[in-house]
Each structure stands twice: as C-alpha cells, then as structure tokens.
Amino acid sequence: MKTDMILVRFGELTVKGRNRGQFEKRMVEQVKRMLRPFPNASIERTYGRLYISLNGEAYEEIAAKLKDVFGIVSFSPVRRTESELEAIQAAAVDVMRALPKEPETFKVSARRVLKAFPHNSQEMNHLVGSSVLRAFPALKVDVRTPEVELRVEIQPEGTYIFSEVVPGAGGFPFGTNGKAMLMLSGGIDSPVAGYLAMRKGLEIEAVHFHSYPFTSEQAKEKVIELARRLAYYSGKAIKLHLVSFTEIQTAFTQSNQDHLIITLMRRSMLRIAERLAERSGALGIVSGDSLGQVASQTLSSMNVIGRTVGLPLLRPLIMTDKNDIIRMAERIGTYKTSILPYEDCCTLFVPKSPSTNPNLKVVEKVESFVPRLSDMIEEAVAGTETIHVSEQTPAGLLSAGREDWF
C-alpha cells in the first residue's frame, strides 16, 4: 500500500490549557517549514493533530524530517477511508496486505470518536477483526502481545487505519518557551545541551569565545558547522556571537594564579554571555556542564562560577554520563564535527593542576587585582561579531578562502 497520508501527534503542548492554541500554531509553522522542499504536500489541522496529505511526495523523505521536529511525539502513515463499515473493513485488509511480511498474530484496536457511528469500539474490533481473519486464514488473534496492532480511528472527517507508530523528537515547538544564550564551544557537550534546550521549546542564540591568533580559523569554522547543525533542528537561522577572549585570557595568565585560570575564565565568559543575553532579550544561559566531568564542573567550581551572573543558568546535561552524551551527539549529528582536533580557547593555557574546590572570596580577590578586567569585558562585548548561521549556510567557507566572512 502506498502511503498517501501521515497522522502527526503532538506531545506535551497538549496540556497547555489556554496557551494550547499558540503552541499548536507554532507547531504548524514548524511542519510547514519542514515541508517546503515537498511542494505537493499539504496540511490539514484538527484538534490536537495534523494530517499531511503527501499528494505523490515520498513518505520516507518526509518521515525522516518529521522525526526531528520538536513538539511531535509520534506520527503514523495512515490509510484514510469513508466512515462506513464495508469501506473500513476493506481498507483494514489492504493495510494488512501492505505489511512487509504477513504476521502470525494481530489484534484490532478501534476508537470511535464519531459517536453517531452505528457500532461501538468493541463491536468494531470484532467486525474488522473477522474480515481480516477471512482474508488471512493462518492469522491468529492475540490481544496481549500481538505482532501487529491494527488501529482504527473513526473521526468526524473520516476513518484512519494504521499499524505503525513512529516516535518523534517530543518536547515543545521551537521558540515557545522563550529565548536563551547557549555557551557553544567546539566540544562534544555544548551542542548536545543546545539541542536539548531547543527540544524544550527554547529559541537559542549561541556565543563562542576564541583567542585568535592562539586559536585557529579552523576552530571557528568548526563552531559554525556545529551551529549549522543546530539550525537544522530549529528550522531557522541561529545567531552566532563570536567573542575575542585573547586579551582577558592573557591577563589571567599573568595573575600568577595558574590553578584558578579556568575558574577565572569561566566567570568572565558568563559575564560576557549575560550582557549579550540581555542585549538580545534572552532570559537564561545554557551550558554543557556535566557534574564531575572536568575541574570546572565540580559542585564547588560551579558554585563559584555561577555566582557571577543573575540570569538562570540552564544545564541540561548536568546529571548525564559522558557515554550517554556521546551517543546523543552521534544521534543528532554533531559528534564527528566536535572531535575534529582544532583547539578552542578553553584548551589553551590549561594548568597542570586546576582547582576543583575554589574559594569564592579568593577568586574575587584575584579578579580585583587583574588590571582593567571590567573594561576588557565591556570591550569584548562591544567587539562581538555576530553572524547568522542557517542549515543552508555552506560548510567550509573559510577553508575556501572566505576569511573576510568574519
């Protein structure tokens, strides 16, 4: 059976009460944006659901993209027919015939939303099931663990029959829960944190710190590629703020407090990120911190570092193991880029023994002795370069000689 329609189910947004309409509207916008490469496909919206009529477009290509749209909890390729018993029975047999292989067991799960339909759900289970058994004599009914569950939904606009439920990305539609600033390094963790933040409905802008000429142009290019991948999931361009951190970082190396350099750097980065967030209307800062992973991510370090800013610090990975983060990075397509061997400013001047238990008063005292620290932070904010990175942004612009792009 050739698929000609997809039923799309929403996730957590269906519990949003009076805001539900706004969430569903954003959901429809996201799906429409996803369908742009498929001009023949059309959308029909009903209460809590979407139906996509393929009109000749390839189901497999659209399904691959639907899996990545935030807010979709699942979807199914469906057969739509008239809400008449004979038509439903015939369509159910067609759906069973279209399975990759004939199952040994099945059951029918009918749901009657159209209360005027003359048979209730239990009666439909028997009526549809008996027609399928007549068409497949070797088939048996198993109501507990069937190999195939044939679902029949009788809706006011028609009846939908399907057997497959494909998991979606879940979460909330992009941008329905406000905006946050993502601390985007070139590593494995921060792109995953950005993905999870977007999955919860946050619109993100990203900030990346570089120490040119100590860090290379390839390191910047790597971060742009990561932002480009995140833009694929957002469905729109992401603002990427590129901040020169060279002067501040150099000043910290001259403070004769090598074991505190990472703590000092992170505090200044947060201060800059907060200023950029306030400038952009973002109400939170997202980081890829994972408890205990490195010296700056012990509870003591995070306490001292986090005291720097007033905006909420959002740490989606805080209780996640590294192997789980790596698996997630592989799944969302950022891992291969993240492990490219281009250094970022956090890997420069790393002390042999970074403090894992910094003292807040000592850190503040050291900062007070760094000449012009506040001025340097303001100058870094003022000198920030901002670019818009979309899914269509070509990769490798710099290596192709477009260094003026920055």
Side-chain angles (χ1 to χ4, degrees):
M1 183 188 76
K2 184 180 178 182
T3 301
D4 56 6
M5 181 171 279
I6 302 173
L7 183 163
V8 178
R9 304 175 187 86
F10 301 151
E12 298 178 57
L13 61 92
T14 56
V15 299
K16 286 300 172 184
R18 286 181 296 178
N19 293 326
R20 176 173 175 159
Q22 178 189 346
F23 279 69
E24 289 190 1
K25 180 182 177 185
R26 187 65 64 89
M27 187 75 257
V28 171
E29 292 172 357
Q30 290 284 93
V31 174
K32 281 183 177 177
R33 193 157 36 223
M34 183 277 292
L35 288 175
R36 279 177 189 162
F38 309 97
N40 295 322
S42 61
I43 294 177
E44 179 184 350
R45 176 183 172 185
T46 63
Y47 187 74
R49 288 181 170 186
L50 286 181
Y51 295 96
I52 301 174
S53 296
L54 300 182
N55 297 319
E57 301 287 1
Y59 166 74
E60 291 77 12
E61 293 180 24
I62 292 179
K65 288 185 173 292
L66 272 182
K67 290 177 182 176
D68 294 326
V69 177
F70 299 131
I72 293 178
V73 66
S74 67
F75 61 90
S76 297
V78 298
R79 171 74 180 271
R80 181 172 173 170
T81 188
E82 296 177 359
S83 294
E84 296 177 355
L85 178 60
E86 292 76 14
I88 294 171
Q89 289 173 319
V93 171
D94 284 347
V95 170
M96 292 295 290
R97 284 199 176 115
L99 294 173
K101 74 178 186 67
E102 185 176 326
E104 294 181 0
T105 61
F106 87 116
K107 78 170 184 178
V108 177
S109 297
R111 179 166 170 255
R112 187 188 63 162
V113 179
L114 177 63
K115 299 305 178 186
F117 191 77
H119 304 285
N120 64 31
S121 298
Q122 284 298 324
E123 291 171 342
M124 285 302 291
N125 289 343
H126 291 292
L127 291 168
V128 174
S130 59
S131 67
V132 171
L133 286 172
R134 283 194 294 274
F136 301 89
L139 200 57
K140 291 184 171 53
V141 175
D142 183 343
V143 295
R144 295 186 182 277
T145 56
E147 195 175 334
V148 169
E149 183 174 359
L150 187 64
R151 301 167 196 256
V152 178
E153 291 195 1
I154 305 167
Q155 300 279 356
E157 71 277 8
T159 294
Y160 302 90
I161 303 167
F162 56 95
S163 62
E164 185 180 4
V165 178
V166 183
F172 296 101
F174 178 77
T176 51
N177 276 329
K179 185 194 289 186
M181 187 66 64
L182 169 67
M183 308 272 284
L184 184 62
S185 72
I188 296 171
D189 300 346
S190 58
V192 176
Y195 169 86
L196 291 176
M198 292 193 296
R199 185 175 177 273
K200 291 302 285 184
L202 283 174
E203 178 182 355
I204 61 165
E205 295 187 10
V207 54
H208 175 71
F209 297 89
H210 63 85
S211 292
Y212 187 81
F214 300 112
T215 54
S216 65
E217 293 295 336
Q218 287 90 343
K220 281 184 180 178
E221 193 172 296
K222 174 182 170 182
V223 170
I224 291 171
E225 176 59 23
L226 291 172
R228 193 178 71 85
R229 185 59 187 166
L230 292 178
Y232 161 76
Y233 292 103
S234 71
K236 58 184 290 188
I238 287 178
K239 279 187 180 178
L240 174 60
H241 305 285
L242 298 161
V243 180
S244 174
F245 203 61
T246 311
E247 188 178 9
I248 297 172
Q249 193 168 19
T250 303
F252 288 148
T253 63
Q254 296 169 354
S255 66
N256 296 321
Q257 298 290 334
D258 286 356
H259 66 296
L260 291 177
I261 283 180
I262 297 296
T263 305
L264 295 167
M265 283 172 48
R266 296 281 293 176
R267 282 168 61 89
S268 290
M269 287 176 176
L270 278 180
R271 289 184 177 115
I272 293 169
E274 184 175 52
R275 283 164 176 71
L276 292 173
E278 289 171 344
R279 198 166 72 181
S280 299
L283 299 179
I285 299 174
V286 179
S287 78
D289 292 337
S290 177
L291 185 62
Q293 195 173 116
V294 294
S296 65
Q297 294 171 14
T298 63
L299 192 57
S300 295
S301 290
M302 286 192 289
N303 172 48
V304 172
I305 292 168
R307 295 291 187 95
T308 317
V309 295
L311 285 180
L313 282 174
L314 308 176
R315 297 176 167 114
L317 305 177
I318 192 66
M319 297 299 180
T320 308
D321 291 340
K322 189 68 179 183
N323 285 338
D324 293 332
I325 297 171
I326 289 173
R327 280 193 286 272
M328 205 176 304
E330 290 173 333
R331 184 169 59 79
I332 66 174
T334 56
Y335 181 72
K336 289 183 178 177
T337 303
S338 291
I339 62 172
L340 291 175
Y342 304 128
E343 76 291 350
D344 59 37
C345 67
C346 290
T347 59
L348 295 173
F349 312 121
V350 174
K352 291 182 180 177
S353 300
S355 175
T356 58
N357 188 25
N359 181 286
L360 179 60
K361 291 184 178 178
V362 172
V363 171
E364 290 174 340
K365 189 76 171 176
V366 173
E367 286 178 335
S368 70
F369 288 132
V370 177
R372 297 186 63 254
L373 180 56
S374 295
D375 291 341
M376 287 189 291
I377 288 174
E378 296 303 329
E379 288 164 7
V381 172
T384 297
E385 299 171 273
T386 300
I387 60 176
H388 292 74
V389 182
S390 71
E391 183 190 356
Q392 289 74 35
T393 299
L397 282 179
L398 292 175
S399 59
R402 293 278 305 274
E403 296 192 3
D404 59 334
W405 209 45
F406 288 103

